[in-house]
Amino acid sequence: LDEVSELRSLTRHLLAESPRFEQLINDTRDSFNFQWGDIKEGTALLSDPDFVKNAAGLVEEYTGLPRDWFKGKRVLDAGCGNGRWSATFCALGAEVTSFDISDHGVAETREACTGGTVTVLKHNVLEPLPFDDTFDLVWSYGVLHHTGDTWTGFQNLLPAVAGDGYFFLMLYGEPRA
């Protein structure tokens, strides 16, 4: 498994400047566009009452920050998908900026965050951010490993973290023996 993981990593770096890499990015965008547009129900989505009920507690657990910390804070949800975390941050009273590479993700996030203070953009995390803002929390949950260039995505997000801010990053990993 370690060898497979290392080969995948090397392949991604070798492809980074190629037309094939561009196709992989487009395929990823299309896949998530389908997912956020056509799969509206499921575990850990906004259609799941248990997820909605427990989402604020999960944010507390994952970040180590209490619920009352979020009120009035600026949060960037990088790769917001269907808006499940953006909606949670809005419910906690944060000012949220969200972006996703997919049209459906952007639309779903706008719909999910009605009543909150939110700005939603279409953006690819592999491109420099289209703003110079900094945030109290930059949140990227299960996104960067899908890009094929995790490091570039990370480097693009890092300047958005305020000097006294936090960066929450969740990546799926290769299985280890």
Side-chain angles (χ1 to χ4, degrees):
L1 292 175
D2 288 336
E3 288 176 18
V4 169
S5 182
E6 287 177 38
L7 287 173
R8 284 183 184 163
S9 180
L10 287 171
T11 301
R12 288 179 181 139
H13 289 289
L14 292 171
L15 287 174
E17 301 285 329
S18 74
R20 178 69 181 123
F21 184 75
E22 285 291 320
Q23 186 58 48
L24 290 170
I25 297 301
N26 291 336
D27 291 347
T28 299
R29 181 202 59 230
D30 294 345
S31 173
F32 280 101
N33 200 43
F34 167 78
Q35 180 176 336
W36 302 134
D38 291 356
I39 303 173
K40 305 283 187 185
E41 297 185 11
T43 304
L45 296 178
L46 290 169
S47 63
D48 177 357
D50 288 332
F51 173 78
V52 173
K53 182 175 97 179
N54 297 318
L58 291 172
V59 167
E60 280 184 299
E61 179 184 336
Y62 297 162
T63 64
L65 299 168
R67 288 176 201 221
D68 60 350
W69 180 88
F70 291 89
K71 187 152 185 74
K73 298 292 189 194
R74 299 190 70 223
V75 175
L76 175 63
D77 186 359
C80 57
N82 71 346
R84 63 186 171 158
W85 297 114
S86 293
T88 302
F89 294 126
C90 285
L92 289 169
E95 297 175 21
V96 181
T97 299
S98 305
F99 70 80
D100 199 81
I101 193 172
S102 75
D103 291 323
H104 285 298
V106 168
E108 292 294 313
T109 300
R110 283 189 180 123
E111 186 177 317
C113 295
T114 57
T117 304
V118 65
T119 301
V120 186
L121 311 164
K122 183 176 177 183
H123 180 70
N124 180 348
V125 72
L126 296 181
E127 300 295 327
L129 295 177
F131 46 75
D132 293 325
D133 300 351
T134 60
F135 298 85
D136 301 299
L137 173 66
V138 173
W139 174 274
S140 183
Y141 190 97
V143 176
L144 295 183
H145 54 273
H146 290 293
T147 66
D149 191 353
T150 304
W151 181 241
T152 295
F154 177 79
Q155 287 178 305
N156 286 337
L157 293 176
L158 197 54
V161 181
D164 59 349
Y166 299 90
F167 193 143
F168 176 83
L169 179 62
M170 193 290 280
L171 300 171
Y172 298 108
E174 297 287 339
R176 298 285 183 202

